[in-house]
Amino acid sequence: MALPSMAGQFGVPLAQIQWVITAYLLTMIALLPIVGKLSDQTNRRKVYSLGFFIFAVGSLLAAFSASLTQLIISRCIQGVGATLIMANSQAMVRMLFPNQERGKALGNNAIVISIGTLSGPALGGLLLEFTGWPLLFAINIPLGIAAAWLGLRYFPRSHANARGRMDWVGSVAISLAIILLMLASVQFEQNGVTVEGVTLIMAGLLLCLLLIPYEYRLEHRIIDKILFTNRTVAIGNLTAFMQHLVQMATMVPIPFYMQEIMGKSLREIGFTLALQAVCMGVMAPLGGWSRDRFGAFVPTLLGPLLSGLSVVYLLMSDSISMTGLILQFCLFGVGMGLFQATNNAEIMTAAPENKISLVGSMLALIRFLGMVAGTTMAVLFVGSLSASPDNPALLSARILDLYAMCLIVSLLALAVSFWRPRSNNSKVRGRNKLERSFKK
């Protein structure tokens, strides 16, 4: 929302000002695996709280940036702080809440995220109307300092648990591979399928393939074996990747289509996209509560099932209508709300105590990778999203083909979910009550 104002002030085209967002995302994606591993070897509470302080420092520098270069560097500093927070946020929930309350806690956390998602653009637009873009960064300074103080004061202390050397070669290699894949996604989104984009994605995938035999020989590797040997963690990450892929793939082309083909205003587009966040925020606590009371099996099945059903109406009607789009966003939001808090709680519960930050950071990384894959798939089906539509009927058909592929991915996620180990949290809750009664 503030990018046009920044571009005007610095005298640069919008293509360059996009790096204000890209630099922030690249920093987070590159550092997540490293920070997760280091957090397990140090004090998670201090790392988590330090993240808020660094984010506040980056916000201060961004607010007083006099050039685009300074602003991009400041955004990278913000990205470092956000990485420290994101790598440990799931771990802090694991430390604070017992297993039988973890789903509810993550569900309530989803409400807060939804409120932020909905209120952020509205508040940002209000501030931009009366002030300049620097205030959007300055407002984070007192919030970041307060959050850092509260984290140090109230979050539980943790000690270094994970012993062993740091896999720096693997860490740098996986970070570089992810950066290449992210840059390919940005290239695809801006220019469609190009030689540069294909080269970037092939280089990233090749680096990942070369990393596999190297990591296999190491004992203390950055790609920890628990990510594959623990069935709950492996299936949870795989289904999360597919869910976020479908979420991004079905969302990316819609604002462009609504504005250019359907002639909708920015306000109408914003309200339509917000429906998904509202439904996720409403249903996440219900999914978490169901997981804590009856187990995770049903909510994690309903997630991909509803994700697939969300596109059926559009596919059956063979056209893109506002009714179909509203139904798609609402149904997907309900399914994602039931799935995400439940799935996250299961993964973090299955993680060993000495690796919860690593597992949490990889969970966040999986979300980003799913979004990158979803954006790439959308561009491959639909084409460049910045080009003017020459043939609206052809564009509509391509979007429907994309939705058909998303239906297939959702059904695959549903099939994989049946392999998830079943847990009965009512037994855990009953056992905990019995233990407390004996203590009394």
Side-chain angles (χ1 to χ4, degrees):
M1 191 176 293
L3 293 184
S5 300
M6 295 177 183
Q9 178 173 328
F10 295 131
V12 296
L14 285 175
Q16 289 186 27
I17 207 70
Q18 287 286 348
W19 278 99
V20 174
I21 298 175
T22 304
Y24 177 78
L25 293 175
L26 284 176
T27 303
M28 284 196 299
I29 289 176
L31 293 180
L32 268 172
I34 302 173
V35 171
K37 186 78 171 181
L38 289 176
S39 297
D40 285 327
Q41 297 178 350
T42 55
N43 189 311
R44 295 189 188 97
R45 177 176 66 100
K46 292 182 179 180
V47 173
Y48 184 70
S49 302
L50 179 63
F52 287 105
F53 180 76
I54 294 177
F55 190 85
V57 171
S59 300
L60 175 65
L61 296 174
F64 289 97
S65 294
S67 67
L68 177 59
T69 301
Q70 293 179 11
L71 181 58
I72 291 174
I73 294 173
S74 301
R75 288 288 285 168
C76 290
I77 295 173
Q78 278 189 313
V80 173
T83 305
L84 299 181
I85 298 168
M86 193 172 297
N88 290 282
S89 59
Q90 303 283 349
M92 300 309 292
V93 173
R94 158 74 183 262
M95 293 170 63
L96 284 169
F97 295 93
N99 180 30
Q100 69 273 15
E101 297 178 6
R102 213 161 282 154
K104 177 183 175 183
L106 289 169
N108 291 333
N109 183 57
I111 296 179
V112 177
I113 294 174
S114 295
I115 292 173
T117 301
L118 295 172
S119 61
L123 180 60
L126 183 65
L127 292 175
L128 282 174
E129 188 173 345
F130 297 102
T131 64
W133 61 263
L135 186 59
L136 299 180
F137 295 105
I139 198 173
N140 294 321
I141 300 170
L143 296 176
I145 294 174
W149 180 81
L150 290 170
L152 287 172
R153 180 165 179 82
Y154 292 107
F155 278 117
R157 297 178 182 271
S158 63
H159 303 284
N161 294 311
R163 303 296 180 184
R165 294 175 300 171
M166 183 69 184
D167 176 21
W168 289 110
V169 174
S171 300
V172 172
I174 192 174
S175 296
L176 180 58
I178 293 168
I179 288 174
L180 291 171
L181 293 174
M182 178 68 181
L183 290 174
S185 176
V186 173
Q187 180 75 16
F188 285 155
E189 187 173 3
Q190 293 179 352
N191 304 312
V193 180
T194 62
V195 175
E196 292 83 356
V198 173
T199 302
L200 287 169
I201 200 169
M202 293 301 293
L205 293 175
L206 178 61
L207 190 53
C208 290
L209 291 175
L210 293 175
L211 189 61
I212 293 175
Y214 172 81
E215 289 287 296
Y216 184 79
R217 296 184 291 105
L218 297 181
E219 181 180 356
H220 302 290
R221 46 185 175 260
I222 189 67
I223 306 177
D224 198 279
K225 64 179 182 180
I226 191 176
L227 300 173
F228 309 100
T229 58
N230 186 300
R231 193 149 55 106
T232 299
V233 175
I235 291 177
N237 280 329
L238 179 58
T239 52
F241 173 82
M242 289 190 280
Q243 282 288 97
H244 287 292
L245 184 154
V246 173
Q247 181 182 31
M248 203 66 181
T250 53
M251 183 177 291
V252 163
I254 296 307
F256 174 79
Y257 187 88
M258 290 181 66
Q259 186 174 18
E260 297 294 332
I261 306 300
M262 304 178 78
K264 302 297 181 181
S265 66
L266 292 176
R267 179 177 298 182
E268 291 175 303
I269 296 172
F271 278 127
T272 304
L273 298 178
L275 289 173
Q276 187 176 109
V278 170
C279 292
M280 286 177 61
V282 170
M283 298 306 297
L286 178 60
W289 172 83
S290 176
R291 178 260 175 197
D292 293 341
R293 190 169 181 85
F294 305 110
F297 191 69
V298 172
T300 51
L301 282 182
L302 286 176
L305 176 62
L306 292 176
S307 299
L309 290 176
S310 69
V311 300
V312 169
Y313 179 86
L314 287 166
L315 293 175
M316 292 181 63
S317 60
D318 202 30
S319 62
I320 300 176
S321 62
M322 281 302 300
T323 301
L325 291 176
I326 291 173
L327 183 63
Q328 194 276 321
F329 281 119
C330 289
L331 267 181
F332 189 93
V334 170
M336 196 65 169
L338 292 172
F339 171 85
Q340 192 165 4
T342 305
N343 187 61
N344 291 356
E346 287 295 286
I347 291 174
M348 295 309 298
T349 299
E353 179 65 31
N354 63 339
K355 296 179 180 179
I356 56 176
S357 289
L358 175 63
V359 173
S361 66
M362 287 297 181
L363 180 57
L365 183 60
I366 288 292
R367 179 170 69 249
F368 280 119
L369 291 178
M371 294 167 66
V372 168
T375 301
T376 303
M377 190 169 81
V379 173
L380 290 175
F381 272 84
V382 180
S384 175
L385 301 177
S386 59
S388 299
D390 298 326
N391 190 335
L394 179 60
L395 179 62
S396 176
R398 287 177 175 176
I399 293 176
L400 291 176
D401 289 341
L402 171 66
Y403 277 20
M405 179 58 68
C406 290
L407 174 60
I408 294 173
V409 175
S410 296
L411 293 177
L412 287 174
L414 178 64
V416 171
S417 296
F418 279 99
W419 290 85
R420 185 188 301 266
R422 302 193 187 192
S423 60
N424 188 349
N425 284 359
S426 61
K427 294 181 180 179
V428 176
R429 188 174 60 256
R431 184 166 61 250
N432 290 340
K433 289 181 178 179
L434 185 62
E435 290 174 356
R436 286 196 296 268
S437 65
F438 275 118
K439 289 179 181 180
K440 293 179 181 180

